Amino acid sequence: MDFKTLLQKRFIVLDGGFGTELIKRGFGADERAELSSFTRPKDVVAIHRSYIDSGCDIINANTFNATPFKFENSGYSFEDSIKKGIELAKEAADGTDVLVALDVPPLGRLLEPTGDFTFEEAYDTYCKIMAAGRDAGADLISLETFSDIYELRAAVLAAKDKTDLPVTATLTFEENGRTFTGCSAACAVRILEGLGVDAVGTNCGLGPDLLAPIVDELLKNTKLPVIVKPNAGLPDPVSGRFSIGAKEFAEYMKPLMEKGVKFVGGCCGTSPEFIKGLKSLTEIIQPNRIAFDGTPCACSGTKLVKINEPRIIGERINPTGKKLFKEALRSCDTNYILKQAIEQVSAGADILDINVGLPEIDEKAMMVRIVKAVQAVTDVPLQLDSTNPEVLEAGLRVCNGKAIINSVNGEENSLSEILPLVKKYGACVVGLTLDENGIPKKADERFAIAEKILGRALSLGIPKEDVFIDCLTLTASVEQEAVKETLKAVKMVTEKLQLKTVLGVSNISFGLPNRELINHTFLTLALQNGLTLPIINPNVASMVGVVRAYKVLYGIDKSSKDFVEAYSGDSASAKAQTAREITLEYAISSGLREDASRITGELLADHSAEDIINKRLIPCLDDIGTKFESGKLFLPQLILAADTAGVCFDVIKARLSSEKKPQQSKGCIILATVKGDIHDIGKNIVRTVLENYGFEVIDLGKDVPEEKIVSVAIERDIRLVGLSALMTTTLGAMENTIRLLREKKPDCKVMVGGAVVTEDYAQSIGADFYAKDAKASADIAKAFFG
């Protein structure tokens, strides 16, 4: 049976937890999971067979740990592990119709901008993994347990580029409905469906009792089959038992299956007994899938913008007619361009247009640079604007979200070059109503081109809701009659094709005095005729005001809530500001490193380093941390702000060093991921935040023996140690480390954290503090060191 045939079944049953099943068979904390196919092949086959006997249609090969970074000094390569893992799974499935998936995990490295691992490096690494799985004979690729949609994009592109295999993709969500890096279920599935995966969903992290809201979001935002592989609740770190049994698990899964989940299985803590329960449910449930919400949208990695009402596209990142912007491109002044982006979002832009076309620069390299930079400091979707297909593709590859391409037109060359990019990267596209004969004067002719563009897009499998039409704004001073034709064309496209429309509004007033009045009036008329996506300068308050007022008067802004918020009290002046004052706090929170560095240097002329740290930097980081805890900011913004604050600390250190004044550390802390655990993303985030609060951090790395931690603590007379663990199998090492510290360095306090650590467990093993996240670690350190 192949994957396409399997999809015809009402439900598809997946396997359950693998690591917990290995532990039941005696797998110890001193063993390496990535080598288990070589050291315990009989156990691996037995686990696979137990799931097959329970009714699985697909089993994941024992390749979840088979990445290049886990095979140093092992005597094997990750290719060896992939080949062996798939070989054992095939052996177990022999004589059945069960398919074998290459199980592919996150790489355990933080991608830019949060970390130093580039998108291109991640893509190259995944290409090697996908090629090894393809050559080993995998039937499909299962990408699972991802928390960073940007990394998952790299994995999907690698799978698509290196294999013809079906691809399924699942992310791990937290109770707030977002992943660790802030990606919502809606954003994730919109991005992944656009990239052409075959099924999407969630695995690990939560139990089925907490997944209903997330599953609803998944189902509403994709037409693809949806996967749900929850944990068996939460683990008890002491006993290792999970909180939900097989019978209760099935009871929680039943309503999820009834509302349309197609792929069902389990993750950590589940066993063949759990899968048997799911298999029984598949025989009695008649699903009634939640309806897909086909509202057109664009999204970033964290923000979905539904285009069911007028949305503002900011036009300022474009060199046309802008002397300073051209100079910024020539000199690679990214900071100037980032300020343009941040100002526009602050002023009301929902989407940002990115155009870096200048003859004397490398447009392709600059597009990649600016896309990466802008998406690091803003959370809005991007519209990539170029006439060069190579430039567009380069930008699309690194754009973290569902972007808009600006543009395609009715010319055959344009249709054949641009629309395949739209399809490959799952983007939206703006269709210009012009062709080989130029811009038609009459609305009917422009409408005909719009029809042509839509027809070609549909023939390639591009969804109708991803096509927007630009009926083209001509200059009123030269072609006055064309203004009415443009408005007429917008209305025709809106009503007859039911497509969303785009207009570059400011073109209307070129060559006329009082341009703002002309722009303002034309925008009002265009909105009345159905314009959805005006491209404007949002720093002009009157233009944004037209859109906001229109939404009130047409009943879109219910109870005038957004309008009142924008124009009441202090917010009114803030929204109307066209050139925001760059303060130190603003620079840090916005990730403007050059400004942060400059302002810190200026402040040092009149303020002491201690005052800047204690009265400006620390309160700023505290405010950002509070917003992170309340869900107003997400991990990328937290790390970006911490890194920017780090630039400020570097300036202070350099000044003190030049004056031969030592900078006082607020305290020295050891951080380590405990023995047997090779996951250090969380620990690295904690290090970044602590360092930028002024603490000295001794980072001992990952898989650190108890004796080394204690030895360094004694040698450096350390008073606070932070221990991290992600795997339940390594919690014993955490407890042993604390016990040894109590014996050898009794005055040393210990804070613990990590995905599998709970506050109750921290208390049970004698830890002094439990840190649920990086902000909590900083709070503990501040309180401890006074």
Side-chain angles (χ1 to χ4, degrees), residues 3 140-143 155-156 159-160 163 165-169 196-200:
F3 187 79
L140 68 150
I141 295 169
S142 170
L143 308 172
V156 171
K160 290 290 183 180
T163 81
L165 297 174
V167 178
T168 66
V197 303
D198 297 277
V200 293

Side-chain angles (χ1 to χ4, degrees), residues 145-190:
T145 325
F146 282 77
S147 61
D148 185 352
I149 190 66
Y150 201 34
E151 181 178 10
L152 186 48
R153 282 188 83 256
V156 171
L157 287 172
K160 290 290 183 180
D161 289 347
K162 292 299 178 181
T163 81
D164 294 321
L165 297 174
V167 178
T168 66
T170 56
L171 298 98
T172 299
F173 294 97
E174 299 182 353
E175 284 190 64
N176 64 3
R178 294 181 177 268
T179 67
F180 180 54
T181 56
C183 184
S184 69
C187 284
V189 294
R190 295 280 184 163

Side-chain angles (χ1 to χ4, degrees), residues 316-327:
R316 298 295 297 165
I317 303 179
N318 187 319
T320 305
K322 302 182 185 74
K323 184 178 178 180
L324 290 177
F325 195 97
K326 289 178 180 178
E327 184 55 41

Side-chain angles (χ1 to χ4, degrees), residues 42-61:
K42 291 182 179 179
D43 286 334
V44 170
V45 172
I47 293 169
H48 286 320
R49 283 183 177 154
S50 69
Y51 281 121
I52 292 171
D53 291 342
S54 299
C56 280
D57 298 300
I58 299 173
I59 56 172
N60 279 350

Side-chain angles (χ1 to χ4, degrees), residues 333-389:
D333 184 359
T334 305
N335 201 60
Y336 175 86
I337 297 170
L338 292 185
K339 282 191 279 190
Q340 294 288 321
I342 294 166
E343 282 182 9
Q344 290 185 94
V345 174
S346 297
D350 301 296
I351 298 165
L352 293 177
D353 186 83
I354 308 288
N355 184 320
V356 293
L358 203 61
E360 59 264 44
I361 68 168
D362 183 342
E363 185 185 359
K364 180 178 175 180
M366 184 61 74
M367 177 64 84
V368 170
R369 177 175 182 156
I370 298 304
V371 166
K372 286 185 175 184
V374 169
Q375 68 190 12
V377 300
T378 69
D379 65 350
V380 299
L382 303 182
Q383 176 171 281
L384 309 188
D385 188 350
S386 177
T387 58
N388 187 329

Side-chain angles (χ1 to χ4, degrees), residues 587-603:
I588 291 172
S589 63
S590 301
L592 297 174
R593 298 186 183 200
E594 291 183 20
D595 286 303
S597 174
R598 173 183 57 78
I599 294 169
T600 302
E602 293 171 354
L603 287 171

